[in-house]
Amino acid sequence: AKLSQDMEQETRVSVWVFSHSHDIHCIISDVDVLRLPDIEPYYHPHGMTALRDATVIALDDIKTIPQHRGDHAVLMYVLSDGDENVSRAVSVEQLRQRLGSLPANVTVGALVPNAKCAEQAQKMGFADGNITLWDAADREGTIAASKKVETATTAYFTARTKGTRATNTLFKMGEETVNAATIAAAGLKPLDYTVYTLHHIPAIPAKTEIRPYVQGLGR
């Protein structure tokens, strides 16, 4: 909600929950992020992990979003606390094909609990840079997962302001990962050397404030 306001990007949210392949439900549909309700009354975790089926159902739902005008983009997170183990409608290959042919403005990330599940997600077609691990065993793991989503979403919003519509480096776009691939994915361009000046800073006392120092240089 804060990113939506600060970066002036209208944002709407849908939330799907899943367990068995016959128990996949949209509990929040296309709600303005500034008016998003608490999901606690609607969310009751139990049994099994039909990740493939749920992912495709949510992707089908995304296709119904009107995009006739405007610069739209979709960011989707798939959060799982275990192995895919009960999907019936969608095979590994079918999901791989679906994720491999996403529209140019759709990004799908996956948070999975261990290396085995990460390998499973890769086989299902999730981009390597869009997969991250989280500890599903306790509250601290959930808090850490939330932080990962926050960091990735912030980087994604920032990239959107530069014209990026989708990324395969969702969890590698943050400030902790800066390399040629992530710079390109974020749409960043190098400044022309004629528009900036490099200034050597000699040894100065610790905790010196930057602003008065720079102003003292006449900058």
Side-chain angles (χ1 to χ4, degrees):
K2 187 175 187 307
L3 287 170
S4 177
Q5 292 178 310
D6 291 349
M7 297 191 182
E8 297 184 343
Q9 295 185 34
E10 180 181 349
T11 305
R12 305 188 69 82
V13 177
S14 295
V15 178
W16 289 81
V17 293
F18 62 95
S19 55
H20 289 271
S21 58
H22 61 269
D23 193 12
I24 300 169
H25 303 286
C26 183
I27 59 174
I28 295 174
S29 179
D30 196 31
V31 174
D32 184 344
V33 70
L34 301 180
R35 296 168 176 81
L36 195 64
D38 189 338
I39 72 168
E40 184 178 3
Y42 311 103
Y43 179 47
H44 307 287
H46 60 278
M48 312 309 283
T49 307
L51 187 150
R52 295 195 306 267
D53 288 356
T55 300
V56 169
I57 287 174
L59 287 173
D60 285 342
D61 197 61
I62 287 170
K63 290 168 62 177
T64 68
I65 299 173
Q67 298 190 44
H68 181 56
R69 296 184 178 88
D71 179 19
H72 297 272
V74 176
L75 174 59
M76 174 177 163
Y77 290 104
V78 180
L79 175 66
S80 172
D81 65 353
D83 291 4
E84 154 63 65
N85 56 15
V86 74
S87 287
R88 296 291 180 264
V90 180
S91 68
V92 171
E93 184 56 32
Q94 286 173 322
L95 181 54
R96 170 178 284 278
Q97 290 179 1
R98 187 67 179 271
L99 292 174
S101 58
L102 290 172
N105 64 338
V106 175
T107 298
V108 180
L111 291 92
V112 295
N114 54 53
K116 175 186 174 185
C117 291
E119 183 180 357
Q120 197 176 61
Q122 287 179 316
K123 291 179 179 178
M124 288 188 287
F126 290 90
D128 182 52
N130 289 1
I131 301 170
T132 192
L133 303 182
W134 73 292
D135 184 356
D138 58 29
R139 173 179 171 81
E140 293 305 314
T142 304
I143 293 172
S146 177
K147 183 63 178 177
K148 285 189 175 186
V149 169
E150 179 183 345
T151 300
T153 303
T154 299
Y156 177 82
F157 265 73
T158 302
R160 285 287 291 138
T161 67
K162 307 295 184 181
T164 297
R165 305 186 73 206
T167 179
N168 284 329
T169 57
L170 180 61
F171 293 109
K172 297 181 179 179
M173 295 173 67
E175 59 187 20
E176 74 285 353
T177 307
V178 180
N179 54 46
T182 55
I183 289 172
L188 301 177
K189 304 296 182 183
L191 284 174
D192 188 280
Y193 73 93
T194 61
V195 301
Y196 63 88
T197 300
L198 293 178
H199 177 76
H200 175 69
I201 299 178
I204 56 177
K207 297 185 178 180
T208 298
E209 291 190 15
I210 293 175
R211 179 182 295 176
Y213 177 81
V214 174
Q215 290 174 335
L217 299 174
R219 300 296 177 181

